[in-house]
Amino acid sequence: MKATQHIRLLSFLVCIAICLSNCTTSKHLGEQQYLLTKNSIVQDGHKVRNKELYALLKQKPNKKILGFVPIYLNIYNIAFEKKENNIFKKTSEPPVILNHRLAKKSAKQIELYYKNKGYLDASVSFDIHKKKHKARAVYSINSGTAYKINEVKVNQKDNSDLNKIIKKFLDETQIKKGKTYNFKNLEDERYRIASKLQNQGYYQFNKEFIHFLADTNQISKKVNLDLVVKPFEKNEKSTILQENHKPGVIGLVNVHLETGNSEAVNDTTVLQGINFIYNAAKPPFNLKRLAEKILLRPGIPYNKNFVDKSYQALSELKNFKKISFEFSPVSTNQDRNVLTADIYLIPGKKIAYTVEVEATTNPELKEGISGSASLIHYNILKGAEHLQLTFEGSNNFKDIKESGFIMNLTIPGLISPIKLNKILNKKSRTKTVFTASVTEQKRPEFTRNSITGSYTYKWKTRRNYQHKLSLFNLSYVNFEGDSTAFTNISDDLKAKYYSSHLIPTSSYTLSFNNQNINKLKNHSFFRIHLESSGSVLRSLADPLGLGQLKDKGDDGSHIYTLNLWDEGIEFTQYVKTSLDYRYYWEIDEKNSLALRAMGGVIYAYGNAKEAPFHKKFIAGGANDLRGWQAFKRPPGTLNTEDKPLHTGGIKLITSVEYRFNLIKKLKGAVFMDAGNIWEISANNSENEAANFKWDRFLDEIAVDVGFGFRYDFKYFILRGDLGFAVREPYESKPWQWEKVKINDSQLNIGLGYPF
């Protein structure tokens, strides 16, 4: 009954919005003025849905929320009577009044679009349908027949080496006999040929030297193309001289390291054929490290790709505020030019620091004030190594103290006892990251010491792929005292934070992202993660005497411990994997649809009966099932009263979110999340309702719906989402639409988008 009432209320509000839209949108228009409400493009009686065509239109209707409510126009009409320049006028949108001149220009733009696609006889007309003070523009396309390429010629009178190379390039292109004539393809071909020539030594060449001359035949609908290469022009004594394009060969590579010491005499060090020039007593940077990032060498042909890769690699060092490449010919002959490559590197700041202080309160741990201070050095070993030292501490001014020290060292290269350059070349842009931390927490009840350390490789291959290989990540906690007094903390959380344990892991992560921030286009994101813990340690524990036999497990297997701090510590053993796929459909500049599907599994075996609490999967929170709090979504059909916090060994989740602009930097979203977590039967014998079963998991999917707001602060996005849990698997009545009300909502605050 309540659900029916909510649906009726929602329908009533929608009707009100439509009525307000119809009543107010034409308000304040002149007698001969018409509000443009819709644009339509048709071809052969069918509506065209090509986003590129609609983007060409010179006039677009007022923006609408959810596709039918012109909220910005309504705000404008409400604020129209007020003379002052109030906030409503600043955030509103005036009515888009039909302009026949702009409609005619739009038709011409569509016609030009089709002509560039090869429909050289295309024509476009438009009709205006008026009703009261509203107008709808309809653009009709008569495309005709597409012209085909008949032949392609390249500078018939010129038989130079350059033309021979270009003819070979044309064998790999779509500009061939029988293909549709397409102006964009010609432009792309100009750019492609120029790029290939730049990578084969022609350092002064660009697409402006290439032109296509088209000879069309309207009867046969054929096009003959003549590719013309313009000669290189130079000015000598006010006389314009023309000469053939010549490739360049690198003769010298000079790297100028600016130190700011103008009084010092320049010194030069030669390494791997590169001249490093600096005005200091000794090199200000690790020259071997810099040489690894620079792909240019004396004797090799000029290669634009090498220049771009070198610039990118030097930029990622984050040591230089300005990087520039200059090429100048030092000698020339009939066949080629010998070039000097000058690379100028101006360093930036070496040291930075941050300080943070905050007051905190917690009914169980009773912290009073906490803070952290970080010091970052961007060239600690003069090889662009980034060292970050962080000290963290807290104190309740009585008898509870916590302090910690974290060190993070990033080295721009692979630090390994074996040579990995044969596997990963200079173009891979590699990093090695060492991390170590030591923390201590003191209370009257206990003393807790923890040590962590990791050794990780990061590198990029191709354009959109990133790799992360953690050779080892070690987490050790030594706990002395009693944690039974923590009545508000779950047993799992006690096992994570307040008991002695050892977690040795190795992992690999592959990420793919083809987003182009400079172009509005659909894009995808994909990530796969693989992780293993304890396998190597388990295999070495018995033969090398690294551990001692404890008790036999339930399956008869041996469980080993390590003696650390004179205490036998169990180490974990598990495997974990997860997949995360996202697709972003960019409807237009103001609207988009984001889709996500994610799944993962973690399985404990051998030396562990269960995977560590904080390594398992959670459901709920700001980036997950937003109708539930983090850790509050129970696995399977388990009731929430069983445990205060929940994790699972299996996770499946999918989300869909429609994102739209509201007012300037304020954005909105409506979403739906579906999924759940489960336990693996082999790791859980206590609660059968929590275990994953193929024949019932679809009935155990939890669902939430909701809406949210995002505010763009340029450097970060502040997000708030209200989620409503409309399907709870453990309830006798799973679907509960009556919970779509503010009192039953879950508020989530976060930074950035949820996915």
Side-chain angles (χ1 to χ4, degrees), residues 356-373:
E356 296 180 1
V357 179
E358 63 179 1
T360 60
T361 180
N362 185 295
E364 192 65 51
L365 301 180
K366 302 178 182 178
E367 291 90 356
I369 188 170
S370 63
S372 66

Side-chain angles (χ1 to χ4, degrees), residues 153-156 158 160-167 170 190 193-194 197 202 205-213 226-232 242-246:
K153 300 177 182 179
V154 181
N155 276 17
Q156 289 288 56
D158 190 347
S160 65
D161 292 338
L162 178 63
N163 283 352
K164 292 178 182 178
I165 295 173
I166 292 176
K167 288 178 181 179
L170 289 176
R190 293 173 65 203
I193 292 175
L197 289 173
Y202 292 88
F205 203 92
N206 59 62
K207 70 173 187 175
E208 302 305 323
F209 288 106
I210 299 176
H211 292 276
F212 283 96
L213 300 179
D226 188 11
L227 189 155
V228 178
V229 178
K230 294 174 60 178
F232 178 74
Q242 294 184 345
E243 60 179 32
N244 293 331
H245 296 275
K246 296 179 182 179

Side-chain angles (χ1 to χ4, degrees), residues 237-251:
K237 298 179 181 180
S238 301
T239 302
I240 302 299
L241 301 179
Q242 294 184 345
E243 60 179 32
N244 293 331
H245 296 275
K246 296 179 182 179
V249 175
I250 305 297

Side-chain angles (χ1 to χ4, degrees), residues 242-304:
Q242 294 184 345
E243 60 179 32
N244 293 331
H245 296 275
K246 296 179 182 179
V249 175
I250 305 297
L252 293 174
V253 180
N254 300 324
V255 178
H256 303 267
L257 299 171
E258 302 291 339
T259 62
N261 187 359
S262 59
E263 297 180 357
V265 179
N266 283 352
D267 196 1
T268 302
T269 299
V270 181
L271 182 65
Q272 299 183 22
I274 301 176
N275 301 319
F276 291 94
I277 304 170
Y278 47 89
N279 51 348
K282 56 182 180 180
F285 294 94
N286 185 320
L287 302 185
K288 183 179 179 182
R289 184 67 43 74
L290 292 180
E292 290 175 353
K293 304 300 178 183
I294 299 172
L295 303 180
L296 303 177
R297 293 293 186 275
I300 69 171
Y302 172 88
N303 189 310
K304 182 63 164 54

Side-chain angles (χ1 to χ4, degrees), residues 346-595:
I346 300 178
K349 293 182 179 180
K350 293 183 179 180
I351 298 177
Y353 64 89
T354 59
V355 177
E356 296 180 1
V357 179
E358 63 179 1
T360 60
T361 180
N362 185 295
E364 192 65 51
L365 301 180
K366 302 178 182 178
E367 291 90 356
I369 188 170
S370 63
S372 66
S374 296
L375 178 67
I376 307 172
H377 198 297
Y378 291 100
N379 193 32
I380 187 67
L381 301 176
K382 296 187 178 181
E385 300 89 357
H386 297 174
L387 176 66
Q388 180 172 348
L389 304 176
T390 303
F391 175 80
E392 298 176 340
S394 64
N395 195 320
N396 74 337
F397 306 114
K398 292 182 180 180
D399 50 8
I400 301 176
K401 298 179 180 180
E402 185 171 357
S403 59
F405 178 79
I406 304 171
M407 182 194 75
N408 187 295
L409 177 63
T410 302
I411 300 174
L414 294 180
I415 307 301
S416 171
I418 60 175
K419 292 184 178 181
L420 296 176
N421 291 335
K422 295 181 180 179
I423 303 174
L424 299 173
N425 57 33
K426 295 180 181 180
K427 300 179 183 180
S428 300
R429 292 145 60 192
T430 57
K431 294 181 181 178
T432 302
V433 182
F434 297 96
T435 303
S437 68
V438 178
T439 61
E440 181 185 56
Q441 184 180 18
K442 285 187 175 182
R443 289 180 54 121
E445 304 95 335
F446 66 83
T447 298
R448 177 182 181 273
N449 297 288
S450 66
I451 301 175
T452 63
S454 64
Y455 178 16
T456 303
Y457 291 147
K458 296 180 180 180
W459 70 95
K460 298 179 181 179
T461 55
R462 301 188 214 175
R463 182 178 178 181
N464 304 314
Y465 292 86
Q466 295 189 12
H467 307 258
K468 179 181 178 182
L469 175 62
S470 181
L471 297 180
F472 76 82
N473 190 316
L474 189 67
S475 175
Y476 169 70
V477 171
N478 175 256
F479 184 85
E480 298 177 358
D482 184 14
S483 62
T484 57
F486 300 147
T487 57
N488 293 338
I489 297 180
S490 70
D491 292 337
D492 291 320
L493 212 55
K494 292 176 185 177
K496 174 185 176 183
Y497 290 113
Y498 304 108
S499 66
S500 298
H501 61 267
L502 177 68
I503 305 177
T505 63
S506 298
S507 63
Y508 169 74
T509 304
L510 169 65
S511 301
F512 168 84
N513 188 355
N514 64 351
Q515 181 182 11
N516 186 346
I517 60 176
N518 298 318
K519 188 175 182 180
L520 185 68
K521 60 177 294 187
N522 301 340
H523 57 279
S524 302
F525 172 86
F526 173 78
R527 178 170 59 207
I528 179 171
H529 176 77
L530 305 171
E531 184 175 320
S532 175
S533 172
S535 299
V536 175
L537 196 57
R538 172 68 184 255
S539 63
L540 296 176
D542 191 30
L544 297 182
L546 298 177
Q548 59 180 355
L549 184 65
K550 190 181 178 186
D551 296 318
K552 289 188 176 181
D554 297 336
D555 59 353
S557 61
H558 297 310
I559 297 177
Y560 290 90
T561 63
L562 289 178
N563 283 326
L564 298 172
W565 267 277
D566 296 326
E567 182 180 0
I569 307 298
E570 280 189 24
F571 57 87
T572 60
Q573 192 172 4
Y574 64 83
V575 291
K576 179 181 181 180
T577 184
S578 63
L579 298 172
D580 191 352
Y581 176 75
R582 308 167 192 178
Y583 183 78
Y584 302 90
W585 178 26
E586 302 292 345
I587 302 173
D588 55 39
E589 294 181 354
K590 306 295 184 181
N591 300 270
S592 64
L593 191 68
L595 307 171

Side-chain angles (χ1 to χ4, degrees), residues 662-697:
L662 283 172
I663 301 171
K664 292 190 175 181
K665 295 184 178 181
L666 181 64
K667 307 175 189 297
V670 292
F671 59 83
M672 174 183 285
D673 306 314
N676 207 344
I677 54 174
W678 294 266
E679 293 287 4
I680 297 178
S681 300
N683 296 149
N684 175 47
S685 58
E686 297 181 2
N687 299 298
E688 175 62 25
N691 292 337
F692 179 87
K693 298 294 182 182
W694 285 104
D695 58 349
R696 72 186 191 200
F697 84 94

